[in-house]
Amino acid sequence: MKKLLCIILMFAGLTGFKPDSSRTITGIVTAREDGQPIPGVTVIIPGTTLGAQTNSAGKYSISVPKGYHKLVFSFVGYQRQVVSIGKADSLNVVMVVSGKELSEVVVTGYGVQRKSSITASVQTISPDYMKSKDINAALSGRVSGLIITKQNAHAYNKAVPASSAYTNNVSVPPTYANDESYQSIVENGFNNAKDNPLSTFSVDVDNASYSNMRRFINNGQLPPADAVRIEEMINYFNYDLSGPKDNEPVAIHTELSSAPWNPAHRLLRIGLKAKTIATDKLPPSNLVFLLDVSGSMQDANKLPLVKAAMKMLVDELRPKDKVTIVAYAGEAGLRLAPTSGGDKTRIDSAIDQLYAGGSTNGGEGIKLAYKMAADNFIENGNNRIIMATDGDFNVGPSSDGDMESLIVKERETNVAISIMGVGMGNVKDSKMETLADKGNGNYFYIDNITEARKALVSEFGGTMFTVAKDVKLQVEFNPVKVQAYRLLGYEDRILNKEDFNNDRKDAGDMGSGHTVTALYEIVPAGIKDDYSVSVDPLKYQKTDKVQNSSSATNEMLTIKFRYKQPDSMVSKLSQAVVNDNPENLNNTSADFKFAAAVAEFGMLLRDSQFKQKSNYDQAISLARAGKGEDNDGYRSEFIKLAESAKLLAKSELVSNK
């Protein structure tokens, strides 16, 4: 054996074989127009997941495996360059300004954008004023509203020592919502039960609004009203509901009491609980990580957080699962071919090689991700794209309408897409919500690593594995018992009454172990208040007589519930009846009290026209009464957030006087 080993080593020495067959290529990247070094240039080995970035002096170093002979250099405002590697280990590159490049590159709070995309006011900094800390702050994405012209951009190299890192931590207070977008919400109003007895909507298991709201409050600011989606705040929390029986995918539960903000009104809680499948019993997954690596993703709370989150998800995967990584900036590319979930080292290595830089062509990334998912489709498996982005697309189809059309077309492949939103300052919440809603996936927002663990580890099954699809609810109110009603939240999930029986109409999905809660505020018959809507009597229809069958019953409403099995195109129907027997609020379950508290808090944050006698003290007291065991501490955290919001609201009220 020793003799054989000696022969192998002698042969290796004669042939020049080395255990590590890669070589290190170094160089400097400069601009042709003035010869100045360019910091932040992305250097990629095509066909691999290996990459690097130039430092403040324009220098880079990259290890190139044997058999690879080219490097790709890209940076916003410059032409992409594909350069062949020669025999030398040094390779300097001169980059040429793109013909599409504008005269100015705009640095906003959390990434480089073109001037035309900026809606807030900006200021130009002259070369004389561009001191070290100012340029560092601008280039690291921590100062909002700075323009660096191409004439003064290279002042960075004179102001900052060549040994400095490209991005430095600068203590500049960040700005929030300066370029964030949220879809406008028109709150559901009260409906007359006699004229409109049916309320129909699709379930929503998204919870992004809650963690996004938390981000605002933790940074000392109340969220914009349109960032507050009450149903997502309520559904951020798990509730103690029993699962379905007889192999059904979902169980339905109800609870009725008085509304805390108006005791003369009723509050109905509808709770759905999906069946829980043990992790080892879950079907195999075909996952495509679709990761935004554009320039706007370079901050610590964006791409670095995404990479850490993806690694936590990888730890949950099994050998029978497959992972593919697609990354996109100015263009989309495959960074990891389909790989077994058991090969965690290879997957983690591919994640480590991702760097941020360039523009954002989200449309091309989505198309490539769907193609990879379809090419590796697993029958009766979990085929899903997990897209991580701040939603700030600026190349190719990028409007909310464009994205919706693209997703509606691609979902025919039976591949779902879930959206993991990150960042602040330029979050495009409206776009990310649209992608998830139309793509049969869920939308969650990650503001810290703890939230990433909650979404991708603690709630792994519910986030990734569908047990019931196209879940719809239709509630029929008895006008003898109900004068008016309103659904709290779900404004973008409202369906036409005829959609309920239409199996071709898309609706929300529920994952393993998921709970969904919906709240209705009900005005009982005979109550007179500002919300008792009415119309003049009709001439050709008799509206003053009610059928004897509805008059003689104690039924307040009937809930009809439709869903499909994951592998079926035909829905099933379940029903539940709620009688007019409300519980005293003090005797309701902890879950009822807590869900009501979250709803009241949401109405206060929105300054809802339907908040009535809502107030922070009442919401906080109700949340404390509904805290329950709270093993994970999420309900305790909510109480602290509500207390902080109360102080912020009081401060805002004083400042506005």
Side-chain angles (χ1 to χ4, degrees):
M1 186 66 184
K2 290 183 178 179
K3 187 174 181 180
L4 177 60
L5 179 60
C6 290
I7 293 173
I8 293 173
L9 291 174
M10 288 177 60
F11 180 78
L14 291 173
T15 59
F17 174 83
K18 298 178 181 179
D20 180 5
S21 57
S22 64
R23 60 174 177 148
T24 300
I25 303 297
T26 61
I28 300 177
V29 180
T30 57
R32 188 176 70 175
E33 59 177 346
D34 55 13
Q36 293 290 327
I38 307 176
V41 175
T42 300
V43 186
I44 298 292
I45 303 172
T48 75
T49 60
L50 303 177
Q53 270 189 321
T54 58
N55 64 9
S56 60
K59 295 181 179 180
Y60 73 93
S61 176
I62 187 168
S63 180
V64 180
K66 184 178 180 181
Y68 291 89
H69 307 290
K70 292 182 179 180
L71 294 176
V72 178
F73 297 79
S74 59
F75 187 65
V76 62
Y78 290 86
Q79 295 179 12
R80 177 175 177 271
Q81 299 232 31
V82 180
V83 183
S84 297
I85 303 171
K87 295 182 179 180
D89 291 337
S90 178
L91 178 61
N92 296 329
V93 173
V94 177
M95 299 196 73
V96 180
V97 173
S98 171
K100 298 179 181 179
E101 181 242 21
L102 300 180
S103 62
E104 293 175 337
V105 175
V106 179
V107 181
T108 62
Y110 290 88
V112 179
Q113 300 183 358
R114 298 189 184 279
K115 184 178 180 182
S116 60
S117 68
I118 296 300
T119 57
S121 61
V122 295
Q123 65 184 80
T124 301
I125 296 184
S126 65
D128 293 336
Y129 185 76
M130 296 201 50
K131 299 178 181 179
S132 172
K133 65 177 182 179
D134 299 314
I135 302 172
N136 272 327
L139 290 178
S140 63
R142 297 186 185 278
V143 174
S144 176
L146 303 182
I147 295 181
I148 300 180
T149 66
K150 65 180 182 181
Q151 285 77 20
N152 65 24
H154 293 301
Y156 172 84
N157 298 298
K158 298 177 182 178
V160 186
S163 59
S164 307
Y166 170 56
T167 50
N168 297 332
N169 293 322
V170 181
S171 298
V172 178
T175 57
Y176 307 107
N178 59 316
D179 195 26
E180 299 190 359
S181 66
Y182 298 91
Q183 186 171 346
S184 178
I185 296 175
V186 178
E187 286 187 282
N188 295 325
F190 280 91
N191 292 280
N192 187 306
K194 185 180 293 186
D195 301 325
N196 299 288
L198 294 177
S199 173
T200 310
F201 67 99
S202 161
V203 303
D204 189 353
V205 295
D206 297 343
N207 58 32
S209 181
Y210 182 85
S211 48
N212 191 32
M213 171 275 298
R214 177 178 61 200
R215 180 256 296 189
F216 275 97
I217 292 177
N218 282 338
N219 285 289
Q221 184 179 355
L222 291 175
D226 287 333
V228 179
R229 294 187 287 273
I230 289 177
E231 76 280 4
E232 293 187 21
M233 292 178 59
I234 295 171
N235 287 318
Y236 178 83
F237 302 93
N238 288 320
Y239 298 98
D240 186 19
L241 299 173
S242 57
K245 300 177 181 178
D246 301 324
N247 203 34
E248 292 298 315
V250 181
I252 186 168
H253 303 267
T254 62
E255 199 168 1
L256 183 69
S257 185
S258 58
W261 47 87
N262 188 339
H265 291 184
R266 305 270 198 267
L267 186 65
L268 170 68
R269 174 189 172 225
I270 302 173
L272 303 179
K273 172 71 173 183
K275 68 178 179 181
T276 301
I277 304 176
T279 302
D280 59 347
K281 302 294 184 181
L282 291 170
S285 289
N286 165 32
L287 301 179
V288 178
F289 295 169
L290 175 56
L291 308 181
D292 183 348
V293 294
S294 63
S296 69
M297 291 287 290
Q298 64 183 337
D299 275 19
N301 63 352
K302 292 191 177 182
L303 185 58
L305 180 58
V306 167
K307 292 164 71 171
M310 289 296 100
K311 286 186 176 182
M312 287 194 294
L313 176 55
V314 170
D315 286 342
E316 300 301 306
L317 300 182
R318 305 151 298 180
K320 65 180 180 180
D321 300 323
K322 290 190 295 187
V323 172
T324 304
I325 298 179
V326 172
Y328 66 91
E331 57 187 38
L334 180 65
R335 297 298 181 88
L336 178 71
T339 301
S340 166
D343 195 351
K344 302 184 189 306
T345 300
R346 184 182 177 195
I347 301 172
D348 286 349
S349 177
I351 293 172
D352 285 336
Q353 298 301 320
L354 297 171
Y355 301 91
S359 53
T360 317
N361 195 339
E364 288 303 312
I366 292 171
K367 290 177 183 177
L368 180 57
Y370 270 107
K371 181 181 184 304
M372 296 306 302
D375 289 348
N376 297 278
F377 192 86
I378 300 176
E379 291 293 338
N380 300 318
N382 174 38
N383 298 278
R384 184 176 298 268
I385 297 167
I386 304 170
M387 183 179 188
T389 178
D390 57 13
D392 193 7
F393 307 150
N394 53 33
V395 175
S398 58
S399 71
D400 291 3
D402 290 336
M403 291 293 104
E404 180 175 341
S405 298
L406 176 60
I407 291 297
V408 168
K409 179 181 178 181
E410 295 289 356
R411 76 183 181 201
E412 296 175 1
T413 60
N414 290 323
V415 174
I417 182 168
S418 291
I419 309 297
M420 185 171 79
V422 293
M424 60 183 73
N426 67 331
V427 173
K428 300 298 181 282
D429 177 86
S430 59
K431 191 173 277 84
M432 292 187 283
E433 185 188 15
T434 296
L435 290 173
D437 287 353
K438 302 303 179 182
N440 292 330
N442 45 356
Y443 168 33
F444 48 99
Y445 175 85
I446 304 297
D447 57 337
N448 55 52
I449 197 66
T450 303
E451 183 62 26
R453 177 169 292 280
K454 176 181 183 292
L456 299 176
V457 178
S458 302
E459 300 176 1
F460 175 66
T463 304
M464 299 296 159
F465 295 88
T466 299
V467 298
K469 66 180 184 180
D470 292 339
V471 181
K472 308 171 190 174
L473 283 171
Q474 186 171 77
V475 181
E476 181 181 355
F477 293 90
N478 179 1
V480 171
K481 295 290 185 179
V482 177
Q483 185 171 201
Y485 64 89
R486 71 177 290 258
L487 174 62
L488 278 68
Y490 292 92
E491 283 83 3
D492 61 351
R493 296 284 188 157
I494 300 299
L495 298 174
N496 296 323
K497 58 186 178 182
E498 59 269 19
D499 293 335
F500 183 72
N501 292 324
N502 184 0
D503 283 348
R504 292 172 295 180
K505 184 66 177 180
D506 186 65
D509 299 342
M510 292 186 68
S512 171
H514 252 152
T515 60
V516 172
T517 293
L519 297 178
Y520 277 94
E521 183 176 353
I522 298 171
V523 181
I527 297 294
K528 293 184 178 181
D529 58 23
D530 295 338
Y531 303 108
S532 301
V533 292
S534 63
V535 296
D536 292 336
L538 299 178
K539 180 178 180 180
Y540 300 109
Q541 297 183 42
K542 294 181 179 181
T543 59
D544 56 343
K545 294 183 179 180
V546 182
Q547 294 180 357
N548 292 332
S549 60
S550 62
S551 301
T553 181
N554 192 41
E555 293 181 5
M556 176 172 269
L557 54 96
T558 297
I559 303 168
K560 292 188 288 186
F561 166 57
R562 278 199 179 276
Y563 62 90
K564 298 174 187 171
Q565 297 281 359
D567 57 351
S568 175
M569 298 302 293
V570 179
S571 66
K572 293 184 177 181
L573 175 66
S574 293
Q575 297 189 65
V577 173
V578 177
N579 291 320
D580 188 17
N581 298 320
E583 284 278 353
N584 183 286
L585 182 59
N586 293 328
N587 297 332
T588 58
S589 67
D591 284 350
F592 184 97
K593 296 184 181 75
F594 192 80
V598 177
E600 183 170 7
F601 179 60
M603 286 192 289
L604 290 166
L605 290 179
R606 288 192 53 79
D607 192 21
S608 168
Q609 62 176 308
F610 305 109
K611 65 183 179 182
Q612 300 163 75
K613 297 179 182 179
S614 296
N615 62 80
Y616 284 102
D617 288 334
Q618 180 173 262
I620 292 167
S621 176
L622 195 58
R624 285 176 176 152
K627 189 173 76 168
E629 294 184 2
D630 193 31
N631 294 326
D632 295 323
Y634 295 125
R635 298 192 182 191
S636 297
E637 179 190 52
F638 169 81
I639 295 169
K640 292 178 181 177
L641 286 172
E643 291 171 339
S644 297
K646 174 186 172 183
L647 296 175
L648 290 170
K650 185 180 296 184
S651 174
E652 193 173 274
L653 184 63
V654 171
S655 65
N656 289 334
K657 286 184 177 180

